[in-house]
Amino acid sequence: MDIRELNRRSVQATVEIVAMVTADDLDRPTPCSEWRVRELLEHQIAQNHGFAFAASGQRSELAMWKPRPLDEDPVGHYAESAAAVIAAFAEDGVLDRRFWLPEIRDGGPFPAQMAIGFHFVDCVVHGWDLAKALGLPPNVDADLAEAALPLATQVPDGPDVRGPGQAFSTGVAASIDAPALDRVIAVLGRSPDWS
């Protein structure tokens, strides 16, 4: 299946979860141990705008990817950022472009298919994070989780990428028979039983 369609569906699923966030939820803890709901939303909004710009094929500075404090309408701002990244990835010719991603390794350029895959996995995992933080069931379709699993397993599990201060936590064990979403979550350092 087209990575852009998988990503569109994963982004839309996060929009549905974020639509349920209230002001009282912003300080709830999340499975991302260093972030509350507020910081997770700030991160996702910045990622959506950053990837939307990267889809143009132009270089971006790291400062462009820095999360900014939420405004008075975090739900609307999130929906706007989601619409921007969906539209950017849907542009004609986007799959022929190279994406500059200054937060990853040397910044790129990365093939579009790979870069959109990074965003897709981020949406699947952070959609799960938000659902868990809000006490809601994750709304990640099984086929999205299955598609995300091989991408998530490609993230290196060494100390230069995982652990305190790094982009990901060290992976945790999950049964080979566990649902694909639980295995995606576990490989990226979250306990599927988090509450």
Side-chain angles (χ1 to χ4, degrees):
M1 182 176 272
D2 184 344
I3 189 66
R4 296 175 303 171
E5 176 60 12
L6 293 170
N7 187 76
R8 184 198 65 76
R9 289 174 53 210
S10 71
V11 172
Q12 188 55 47
T14 66
V15 170
E16 292 166 11
I17 292 288
V18 173
M20 298 181 206
V21 172
T22 68
D24 292 338
D25 295 323
L26 295 177
D27 290 318
R28 285 178 178 253
T30 74
C32 299
S33 61
E34 298 168 11
W35 289 342
R36 296 168 294 159
V37 167
R38 174 186 316 279
E39 287 86 17
L40 185 51
L41 289 176
E42 290 167 353
H43 165 76
Q44 287 189 275
I45 290 167
Q47 291 295 300
N48 286 343
H49 285 303
F51 272 91
F53 183 84
S56 71
Q58 299 177 65
R59 283 182 184 257
S60 61
E61 298 300 321
L62 192 56
M64 177 184 285
W65 296 75
K66 184 178 181 196
R68 290 168 177 73
L70 293 178
D71 63 13
E72 67 284 350
D73 182 19
V75 171
H77 195 183
Y78 185 83
E80 173 192 315
S81 74
V85 77
I86 288 170
F89 288 176
E91 288 179 7
D92 288 340
V94 75
L95 293 178
D96 298 323
R97 297 180 193 148
R98 308 287 281 178
F99 285 44
W100 294 90
L101 306 173
E103 291 187 314
I104 300 173
R105 264 196 348 242
D106 60 0
F110 295 93
Q113 187 90 5
M114 178 184 286
I116 295 170
F118 295 157
H119 189 266
F120 166 57
V121 170
D122 204 48
C123 279
V124 167
V125 173
H126 288 322
W128 180 90
D129 290 334
L130 280 169
K132 288 298 227 177
L134 299 175
L136 300 170
N139 64 341
V140 177
D141 291 337
D143 66 320
L144 293 181
E146 290 286 351
L149 184 57
L151 301 176
T153 60
Q154 292 176 26
V155 176
D157 204 7
D160 54 332
V161 178
R162 305 290 189 108
Q166 300 295 340
F168 298 100
S169 296
T170 303
V172 300
S175 167
I176 193 76
D177 299 327
L181 182 57
D182 286 0
R183 288 182 281 151
V184 169
I185 296 310
V187 79
L188 294 177
R190 292 140 170 87
S191 169
D193 298 326
W194 188 91
S195 62

